[in-house]
Amino acid sequence: MSDNKVQIFDTTLRDGEQVPGCKLNTEQKLVIAEQLDNLGVDIIEAGFPVSSPGDFKSVEEISKLVKNATVCGLTRSVENDIKVAAEALKYAKTPRIHTGIGTSESHIKFKFKSNQDDIIERAVKAVSYAKSFVEDVEFYAEDAGRTDNAYLARVCEAVIKAGATVLNIPDTTGYCLPSEYGAKIKYLKENVKGIDKAILSCHCHNDLGLATANSIEGVINGARQIECTINGIGERAGNTALEEVVMILRQHPHLNLDTNINSEMLYGLSQLVSDNMGIYTQPNKAIVGANAFAHSSGIHQDGVIKNRETYEIIDPKDVGVTESAIVLTARSGRAALAYRAKNVGYELTKLQLDEIYASFLEFADKKKEIDDNDIHKIIESSRLYKEITSA
Ligand code: KIV
Ligand code: ZN
């Protein structure tokens, strides 16, 4: 792997599917997994095989289906979880077991009623056991975001020795500031013996709306894998949004970091996941929201009509959106009305536009959005209709 490639680990089908009400059946998971593979994700986390027979079956079927991506199954640091995951992954061309344990003070004290040394022992045992089934073993230090860096480094060093190929540093509770998360990754890069044998991975939750920013800080500071989901779905406030990190890296080539993602598929994948999970995407969602390329204020519309780049940093086609939308509302200006009228067949002179614009504003004050039919109605009911259509 080249040093400027960031691996995309998609966990839509595992962390994403944990969202209440978003459960998918195996057929739906297969459709999404196939599209994720076509999208170019490097790893598909297909599920948590020990959690239910349905999840086991989904991981098994996805393992048979996927052609390019590594297929990964989640486990706790529990022998049976690992054995079951290995069984579910047995048909995968490149299988990965993702095992781990909580490492923060609160997880050690309240969840495990244990101590730091015991946690390291359990982590090492889990990785060694997973290694007896597959070569590629990813270790997660759950709640790493709130784990003391020196202790986290000890955990990482021990699991690398046991054979972990990837070290997942989750900000499970979405607590870290980007500077803190970046510093954590840097600290591990600089203080863990044998770190060059493993890839550091970011898995950031969005409780404070910082998941994407934290993941980007992570890769700037040396991580080379981002765990993310389509539309940013996931536990509570969600995970890092795949479409966001991919486009941030692409729009900032000076970072010299990129992914294998075919970005033109992003909008389609977003719709597919949203339709199957029955969870709608907020209109102002970055990259894939309905308004991400829609312009409604007169000043912006005038700029975009003159040159798209005045108000857009991404060409919508690059993410699979056919074109920017000029939305007509009472805040729109003459340029937008002329543009939309032209699209439905009316070429207006300046004087005609002035008069039609006055009727348009009256209409728009009563209605949230003016559609093509409304434009016809406005022009047809104008005293200038004949003049406009005979030109
Ligand atoms: O958020 C988290 O810590 C997780 C782990 C299980 C990887 O999802
Ligand atoms: Zn998570």
Side-chain angles (χ1 to χ4, degrees), residues 14-15 18 45 74 98 140-143 168 170-173 203 205 227 239:
R14 198 279 296 169
D15 211 320
Q18 288 172 208
E45 187 163 50
L74 184 79
H98 188 191
Y140 64 86
E142 197 181 9
D143 205 13
N168 179 7
D171 185 20
T172 306
T173 57
H203 178 114
H205 279 268
E227 311 199 359
N239 285 72

Side-chain angles (χ1 to χ4, degrees), residues 107-118:
H107 280 225
I108 296 176
K109 190 164 152 199
F110 300 118
K111 254 175 76 175
F112 302 112
K113 299 185 181 21
S114 178
N115 60 62
Q116 290 190 336
D117 289 340
D118 174 60

